[in-house]
C-alpha cells in the first residue's frame, strides 16, 4: 500500500480546484457524483469512497457510486453506513472489525479488507437524510481518519447531496450547475456556522444594486449567481480562526484576510462566465473605495463593479446578522455606518443607490430572514440573558461605556443608555450604580432630560450611601445639572429622581425569580460589583476593581455562579497607571485569577479603554492560559 502524507492547504486547494473545474464542465448528475467521490477519496487520502442512497420505500440502502466494487444493497439500518443514515451522526472508526455496528458482509462479497472508515450522512434541504458519503482505509502513515479529513469529506459530501437532490427532482441540468456553484458558497458559509440564508440574501441584494446601477438583466443575474461565492476562500481557513467566538488578534485577522486571494486562485482558471464572475467577486469584495481594503488595496473604479456591489451586499448582511464574534446591529446603526463610510469603504454612487432602493432591500431581508429553531425572535429564544449596552472603559467614536441591561426596567450603570435604548429609556425604573465615575453615570443626566415629559414614574438610583452623597453634591446639584429629586414629573406626582441606599451583601428583588446583590470591590472611590441572579443561575459583575480577592471568595463559596464579568482597562505596560487608578491589565487579571479554585466559570472581559483595544486583545491571548475569555462588545448578549 502506498503511503500518502497528509495534504497541506495549497494541495487541498489545488485538488478542490481541479475537481470543481471538471464538475463545471459536466452535464450529467451521475457523472458529477462520480467526480465528487473521486474528490472525497483524494481529499481524505483514502483507498475507496462510496456514495450511499437511502431508499425509504424499499427499506434499503444502496451504493450509487463505489470504488472497486459493483453496486451493492443492504437492509436499511445495516452496518456503520446504516447507523449513520439512521442516526444522522458522522462516524470515524479506526478499526471496523472491533466495532459491533460494522457489517462484514460487504467484505465477504468483495474480498476487500476494511480497516479505518469515516461516514458522513447527507441531508436534503428539509434536513431529511438522503444517504451517506463513506471513505474506507486511510492511506496515510497512521492509517486512520481525523477531524480534518472529516471537514474535507464534508465539502465533497455537501456538493454530492445537492447533485443527488437535483437528480431526484429531475431538475434541468443547467440548474444543477447553478446549484453546485451556489452550494460552494453555502459550504464556505456553513463551515463558518452561519445560516445558508446569508448567501441567498447577498445574492438578491447584489442583483437589486446591479439592476439599479444600470447593469442589464443578464449580467445582473450572473452577478446574483456568482456573489454567493464571495467567501469561498474561507474553506481554506482553519476552523480555530474561522469560528473563533471572539474578536480577532491582529495576526488572526491577517490570516483571515487571505480568504480573498485564496478564493480567487481557486476558481480563476475556469472559462465558465459564472466562475469567472465569482473569482472577481471573491477577489475584490473586501477592497475599499478609498484604497484601504484588501488584498490589493485597489481604489475607486479600479475595483470591479462586481466587487463594489458585493461589498455593500455582504457588509449590509454581516452587520444585520449575529456572528460567532458579534451580535447583530440595529438598523439605525447600520444606516449611519453606511452614510459614514460613503466614499470611504463604499462607492458613493452605490450607497445612494442602496438608500434609493432600501424598501426592496428590506423586503428581501424579510423574505429570507434567519429563522430560529423555535420560530421565535433571537432575544426571546435566549435563556437568561444580560444585554451589554456599553462594553468599554471610556467613550470613543463607535464605543459605548459601561451599562448592562438586566430586564426592561433595570440596568447596572448608566454609561451608555440613550443611544442603544432610545425611547425605552423612559421605562427604566432602577439604575444600580457600581460607583460614581463619569463613564458609569453620564447618561443618568440625559435620560432624565430627554424623556422627562413621557416618564410615568421616578427613576430610582440605587447605590452605596457614599456614592449617593457624591451624586447629590457634585452632579445633581443645580450647578452641573438640575436637582431632579426636587422636580415633579408632568404625568405623575412623583419626583423625577429618587435615591435608594444599598447595603453590601443584601439581595434585592428586581422581578420574578430575579435579584441583584451588591458586593464590595476595590476602586479609587467607594464601589460595588453585583451578583445578578435569575432562576437558579447567577452572573457576577465586578465593575472597576484592582483586587479580585472578594470576587474569588464569593465565586468559590457559591454554587450558582456560572459566569463572571471582569474589567481589563489598560495594557500591561501601563501597570503603574492601572495600580494608581485601581484597574486591571491582562497580566494582573490572569495572575489574580490563578487563586480561583472553581473551574468552568465563563469569563467575560469588559471596560477596555478602546485606544488600547488591539494591544489588550493580543495580551489577553498571551496571558489567558487555558481559559477561553470572551471580550465583550457593545450590544453583545451574555447568556447564562
Ligand atoms: P463577515 O462576518 O461576513 O463580515 C464581512 C464584513 O462585514 C467584514 O469584513 C466587515 O467589513 C463588515 N463587518 C462585519 N461585522 C462588523 C462589525 O462589527 N463592525 C464593522 N465596522 N464591520 C463589520 P472584514 O472585517 O474584512 O472581515 C472578514 C471576515 O473575517 C468576516 O466576515 C468574519 O468571518 C471574519 N472576522 C472579522 N473580524 C473577526 C473577529 O474579530 N472575530 C472573528 N471570529 N471573525 C472575524
Ligand atoms: C458497513 O457500513 O458497516 C459495511 C459497509 C461497507 O463496508 O462498506
Ligand atoms: C464599530 O463601530 O466598528 C465597532 C464598535 C461597536 O460594535 O460598537
Ligand atoms: C475609570 O475609573 O474608569 C476612570 C478613570 C481612569 O480611566 O483611570
Ligand atoms: Fe469575505
Ligand atoms: Fe472607574
Amino acid at each position: 500500500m502506498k503511503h500518502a502524507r497528509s495534504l497541506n492547504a495549497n494541495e487541498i486547494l489545488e485538488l478542490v480546484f481541479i475537481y470543481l473545474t471538471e464538475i463545471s464542465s459536466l452535464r450529467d448528475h451521475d457523472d458529477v457524483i462520480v467526480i465528487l467521490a473521486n474528490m472525497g477519496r483524494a481529499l481524505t487520502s483514502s483507498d475507496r469512497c462510496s456514495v450511499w442512497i437511502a431508499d425509504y420505500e424499499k427499506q434499503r440502502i444502496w451504493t450509487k457510486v463505489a470504488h472497486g466494487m459493483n453496486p451493492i444493497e443492504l437492509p436499511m439500518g445495516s452496518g456503520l453506513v446504516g447507523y449513520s443514515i439512521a442516526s444522522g451522526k458522522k462516524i470515524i472508526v479506526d478499526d471496523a472489525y472491533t466495532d459491533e455496528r460494522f457489517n462484514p458482509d460487504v467484505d465477504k462479497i468483495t474480498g476487500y479488507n476494511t480497516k479505518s472508515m469515516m461516514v458522513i450522512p447527507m441531508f436534503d434541504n428539509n434536513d431529511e437524510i438522503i444517504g451517506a458519503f463513506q471513505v474506507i482505509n486511510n492511506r496515510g502513515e497512521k492509517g486512520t481518519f481525523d477531524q480534518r479529513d472529516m471537514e474535507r469529506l464534508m465539502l465533497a459530501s455537501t456538493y454530492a447531496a445537492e447533485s443527488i437532490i437535483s437528480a431526484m427532482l429531475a431538475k434541468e441540468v443547467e440548474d444543477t450547475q447553478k446549484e453546485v456553484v451556489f452550494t460552494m458558497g453555502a459550504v464556505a458559509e456553513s463551515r463558518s456556522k452561519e445560516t445558508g440564508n446569508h448567501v441567498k440574501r447577498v445574492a438578491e441584494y447584489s442583483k437589486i444594486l446591479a439592476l439599479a446601477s444600470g447593469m442589464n438583466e443578464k449580467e445582473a443575474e450572473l452577478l446574483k449567481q456568482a456573489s454567493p461565492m464571495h467567501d469561498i476562500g474561507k474553506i481554506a481557513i482553519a476552523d480555530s480562526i474561522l469560528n473563533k467566538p471572539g474578536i480577532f488578534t491582529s495576526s488572526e485577522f491577517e490570516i483571515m484576510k487571505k480568504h480573498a486571494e485564496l478564493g480567487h486562485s481557486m476558481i480563476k482558471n475556469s472559462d465558465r462566465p459564472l466562475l469567472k464572475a465569482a473569482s472577481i467577486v471573491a477577489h475584490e469584495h473586501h477592497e475599499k473605495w478609498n484604497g484601504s481594503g484588501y488584498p490589493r488595496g485597489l481604489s475607486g473604479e479600479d475595483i470591479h463593479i462586481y466587487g463594489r456591489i458585493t461589498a455593500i451586499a455582504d457588509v449590509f448582511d454581516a452587520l444585520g446578522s449575529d456572528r460567532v464574534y458579534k451580535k447583530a446591529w440595529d438598523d439605525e446603526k447600520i444606516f449611519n455606518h453606511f452614510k459614514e463610510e460613503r466614499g470611504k469603504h463604499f462607492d458613493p454612487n452605490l450607497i445612494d443607490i442602496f438608500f434609493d432602493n432600501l424598501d426592496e432591500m428590506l423586503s428581501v431581508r424579510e423574505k429570507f430572514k434567519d429563522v430560529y429553531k423555535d420560530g421565535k425572535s433571537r432575544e426571546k429564544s435566549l435563556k437568561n440573558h444580560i444585554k451589554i449596552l456599553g462594553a468599554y472603559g471610556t467613550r470613543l467614536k463607535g464605543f459605548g461605556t459601561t451599562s448592562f441591561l438586566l430586564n426592561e426596567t433595570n440596568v447596572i450603570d448608566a454609561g451608555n443608555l440613550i443611544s442603544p435604548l432610545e425611547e425605552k429609556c423612559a421605562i427604566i425604573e432602577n439604575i444600580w450604580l457600581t460607583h460614581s465615575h463619569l463613564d458609569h453615570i453620564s447618561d443618568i443626566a440625559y435620560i432624565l432630560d430627554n424623556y422627562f415629559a413621557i416618564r410615568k414614574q421616578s427613576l430610582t438610583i440605587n447605590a452605596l450611601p457614599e456614592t449617593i452623597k457624591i451624586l447629590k453634591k457634585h452632579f445633581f446639584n443645580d450647578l452641573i445639572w438640575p436637582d431632579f429629586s426636587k422636580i415633579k414629573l408632568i404625568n405623575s406626582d412623583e419626583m423625577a429622581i429618587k435615591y435608594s441606599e444599598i447595603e453590601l451583601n443584601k439581595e434585592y428583588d428586581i422581578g420574578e425569580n430575579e435579584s441583584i446583590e451588591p458586593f464590595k470591590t476595590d476602586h479609587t472611590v467607594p464601589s460595588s460589583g453585583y451578583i445578578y441572579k435569575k432562576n437558579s443561575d447567577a452572573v457576577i459583575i465586578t465593575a472597576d476593581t484592582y483586587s479580585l480577592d472578594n470576587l474569588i471568595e464569593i465565586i468559590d463559596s457559591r454554587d450558582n455562579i456560572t459566569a463572571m464579568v471582569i474589567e481589563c482597562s489598560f495594557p500591561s505596560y501601563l501597570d503603574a497607571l492601572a495600580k494608581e487608578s485601581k484597574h486591571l491589565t491582562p497580566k494582573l487579571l490572569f495572575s489574580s485569577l490563578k487563586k480561583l479554585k472553581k473551574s468552568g466559570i465563563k469569563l467575560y472581559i469588559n471596560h477596555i479603554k478602546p485606544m488600547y483595544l488591539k494591544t489588550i486583545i493580543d495580551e489577553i491571548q498571551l496571558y489567558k492560559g487555558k481559559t477561553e475569555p470572551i471580550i465583550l462588545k457593545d450590544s453583545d448578549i451574555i447568556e447564562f
Side-chain angles (χ1 to χ4, degrees), residues 360-476:
E360 214 183 327
M361 303 287 284
L362 294 177
S363 68
V364 164
R365 185 174 70 177
E366 182 57 28
K367 185 165 164 206
F368 296 105
K369 71 175 171 223
D370 295 324
V371 189
Y372 292 85
K373 280 236 155 66
D374 54 6
K376 290 184 190 150
S377 75
R378 174 167 56 90
E379 293 195 16
K380 294 236 171 65
S381 69
L382 294 176
K383 314 190 284 183
N384 298 343
H385 68 274
I386 297 173
K387 174 136 191 193
I388 309 301
L389 301 176
Y392 300 95
T394 191
R395 220 156 169 178
L396 198 68
K397 191 167 159 52
F399 297 88
T401 54
T402 321
S403 298
F404 301 83
L405 182 68
L406 305 178
N407 59 29
E408 282 201 326
T409 54
N410 283 269
V411 294
I412 293 177
D413 282 345
N416 198 39
L417 302 178
I418 296 287
S419 113
L421 291 178
E422 300 181 349
E423 317 79 59
K424 288 194 197 124
C425 287
I427 59 170
I428 296 291
E429 289 170 19
N430 285 288
I431 298 179
W432 302 82
L433 291 180
T434 59
H435 65 294
S436 56
H437 279 156
L438 198 58
D439 54 323
H440 300 254
I441 64 167
S442 55
D443 275 6
I444 305 177
Y446 307 119
I447 85 171
L448 288 167
D449 193 18
N450 284 308
Y451 301 106
F452 185 79
I454 57 169
R455 279 201 82 84
K456 296 204 171 63
Q457 70 289 87
S458 327
L459 176 68
T460 304
I461 308 296
N462 304 272
L464 294 170
E466 299 88 331
T467 307
I468 290 177
K469 235 179 255 159
I470 297 168
L471 291 180
K472 286 182 175 165
K473 180 164 177 210
H474 300 287
F475 196 176
F476 299 99

Side-chain angles (χ1 to χ4, degrees), residues 58-222:
K58 294 196 187 131
Q59 283 294 304
R60 310 286 285 174
I61 55 175
W62 54 280
T63 51
K64 184 158 182 78
V65 174
H67 291 133
M69 63 181 190
N70 295 324
I72 208 158
E73 258 188 54
L74 293 175
M76 188 71 104
S78 162
L80 284 157
V81 171
Y83 175 79
S84 171
I85 289 176
S87 64
K89 291 203 173 99
K90 301 174 202 136
I91 303 175
I92 294 180
V93 172
D94 293 347
D95 183 359
Y97 280 87
T98 64
D99 192 307
E100 56 193 26
R101 294 168 299 187
F102 176 64
N103 175 357
D105 291 352
V106 179
D107 276 5
K108 277 185 204 142
I109 298 167
T110 59
Y112 187 74
N113 186 17
T114 300
K115 192 148 172 68
S116 55
M117 191 194 297
M118 177 162 67
V119 190
I120 293 177
M122 293 186 291
F123 296 85
D124 69 9
N125 297 329
N126 300 319
D127 271 349
E128 309 285 353
I129 299 174
I130 55 170
F133 226 72
Q134 175 199 38
V135 286
I136 302 179
N137 289 354
N138 181 286
R139 292 183 296 125
E141 295 284 337
K142 274 203 342 228
T144 53
F145 297 102
D146 61 20
Q147 207 51 43
R148 275 203 333 198
D149 297 318
M150 177 80 86
E151 276 163 22
R152 288 163 187 177
L153 190 63
M154 292 273 285
L155 252 181
S157 82
T158 311
Y159 302 148
E162 284 299 333
S163 300
I164 291 165
I165 296 162
S166 305
M168 283 172 166
L169 299 176
K171 272 196 194 158
E172 296 278 294
V173 172
E174 189 55 28
D175 240 28
T176 317
Q177 302 293 335
K178 287 177 195 164
E179 209 46 40
V180 167
V181 168
F182 187 81
T183 314
M184 288 163 61
V187 165
E189 216 46 58
S190 70
R191 252 205 66 218
S192 66
K193 296 201 175 140
E194 275 133 33
T195 82
N197 277 353
H198 169 62
V199 291
K200 291 198 184 121
R201 292 189 299 259
V202 169
E204 300 289 340
Y205 296 150
S206 298
K207 183 164 181 187
I208 294 170
L209 295 172
L211 286 175
S213 69
M215 208 180 276
N216 66 43
E217 166 66 32
K218 194 162 170 244
E219 195 180 1
E221 180 60 29
L222 180 77

